[in-house]
Amino acid sequence: MSASAFVRITRPHNAVVAGLTALLGYLIATGTLTPPSLLLAVVVVLITAGGNVINDIYDVEIDRINRPDRPIPSGEISLSGAKMYTVALFAGGIAFATLTTALCLAIALINSVILVAYAIWLKRIPGLGNVAVAYLAASVFLFGGAFAGIGGLVQNISLAAITFLATVAREVLKDAEDVDGDAAGGARTLPMIIGIRRAGMLAFACACGAVLASILPVGDWWGPFYLTAIAVVDIVILFGASRGLWCTTSDCVRGSGATSILRTGMFAALAVFAVAAVI
């Protein structure tokens, strides 16, 4: 077992980005960053890493075929070693969460349970797996805000709602892109059940919901910058979702660029909230 394998199996880029997102959540809620808020990044990095490791544990048979270079199927990390490692990562994240607030600890515990459930069975349930991924992405902002108390959590609800709904839209469209490959591999996804056209309609409806959520924080705190900037973001999100609205084949969804545009819109929304919080 090599040290580099223990780093790679956590998908460090993914985990670190999630940790930085928690800090942004605190910045958006309070307009500032403090040394104690760095604990948020530590908690999220450890719990996200634990989730990534347990995913590899339960995907090991698939990875033996599709990703034999991954640390477990390649033999760099034993299955028992990976199990102990994921327990240590989750335990470490929760231990650090006890140093934050009761709200943060509650979110950390809930998310740890969802990450384990996702790896074991949620990801194999059409639609429910998409919702779980979207919740986990959105909850990082709630976690960051919760460090400032219930008021900070409430402050971030709008961004969390935008993230949740836009992520559901993107996840559904990603599944629509992969219908042919998933069918060949025996997978069962939502677009395979309801059809690609209806999946596109569902994604567009979620995008419309994200746009509605973006107007929730309008008021004295946000001001004209937010109104102007979020209007541009809303256009991007609606445009991205509309690109897959009329598709009936996976090739059409892939060619539309809908998922990439939605991702751009989500990052843009985060930037708008962050700037609006400090100006």
Side-chain angles (χ1 to χ4, degrees):
M1 292 190 284
S2 66
S4 65
F6 278 96
V7 174
R8 284 189 290 111
I9 197 172
T10 65
R11 294 176 176 82
H13 174 76
N14 172 279
V16 169
V17 168
L20 293 176
T21 300
L23 288 178
L24 280 174
Y26 181 74
L27 173 67
I28 290 166
T30 65
T32 187
L33 289 174
T34 61
S37 67
L38 295 176
L39 276 171
L40 298 171
V42 175
V43 173
V44 173
V45 166
L46 289 172
I47 290 177
T48 300
N52 289 335
V53 175
I54 198 170
N55 258 306
D56 274 19
I57 291 170
Y58 281 91
D59 284 348
V60 63
E61 295 305 323
I62 295 171
D63 285 344
R64 290 191 201 281
I65 299 170
N66 296 332
R67 295 292 307 275
D69 59 317
R70 294 292 300 161
I72 299 176
S74 68
E76 292 180 273
I77 298 177
S78 68
L79 200 55
S80 60
K83 289 177 181 178
M84 289 188 289
Y85 189 34
T86 195
V87 169
L89 289 167
F90 278 121
I94 292 168
F96 277 107
T98 63
L99 304 176
T100 57
T101 68
L103 276 173
C104 286
L105 177 59
I107 294 171
L109 289 168
I110 291 169
N111 285 15
S112 296
V113 171
I114 292 175
L115 281 164
V116 173
Y118 179 81
I120 296 172
W121 60 279
L122 280 180
K123 70 167 122 182
R124 296 171 181 84
I125 301 178
L128 198 53
N130 303 129
V131 170
V133 169
Y135 161 76
L136 289 166
S139 68
V140 178
F141 298 109
L142 299 179
F143 180 74
F147 194 57
I150 189 67
L153 185 148
V154 170
Q155 189 84 298
N156 284 2
I157 284 177
S158 182
L159 178 57
I162 294 169
T163 303
F164 174 79
L165 291 165
T167 302
V168 170
R170 186 170 181 268
E171 287 292 309
V172 169
L173 289 173
K174 280 173 62 181
D175 282 347
E177 290 178 344
D178 297 335
V179 160
D180 296 337
D182 286 341
R188 191 78 171 152
T189 62
L190 189 62
M192 294 171 67
I193 296 172
I194 66 175
I196 291 176
R197 177 67 185 280
R198 287 192 178 91
M201 294 170 66
L202 174 61
F204 186 75
C206 288
C208 290
V211 169
L212 289 175
S214 74
I215 68 173
L216 292 178
V218 173
D220 294 337
W221 192 76
W222 292 107
F225 167 79
Y226 176 79
L227 290 171
T228 303
I230 205 64
V232 176
V233 171
D234 289 343
I235 291 171
V236 172
I237 290 174
L238 288 176
F239 175 68
S242 69
R243 294 280 293 172
L245 186 57
W246 308 111
C247 287
T248 57
T249 67
S250 56
D251 285 340
C252 173
V253 180
R254 277 195 300 274
S256 71
T259 56
S260 296
I261 297 171
L262 278 170
R263 185 178 183 182
T264 299
M266 291 161 60
F267 278 115
L270 174 58
V272 169
F273 274 78
V275 172
V278 298
I279 61 174

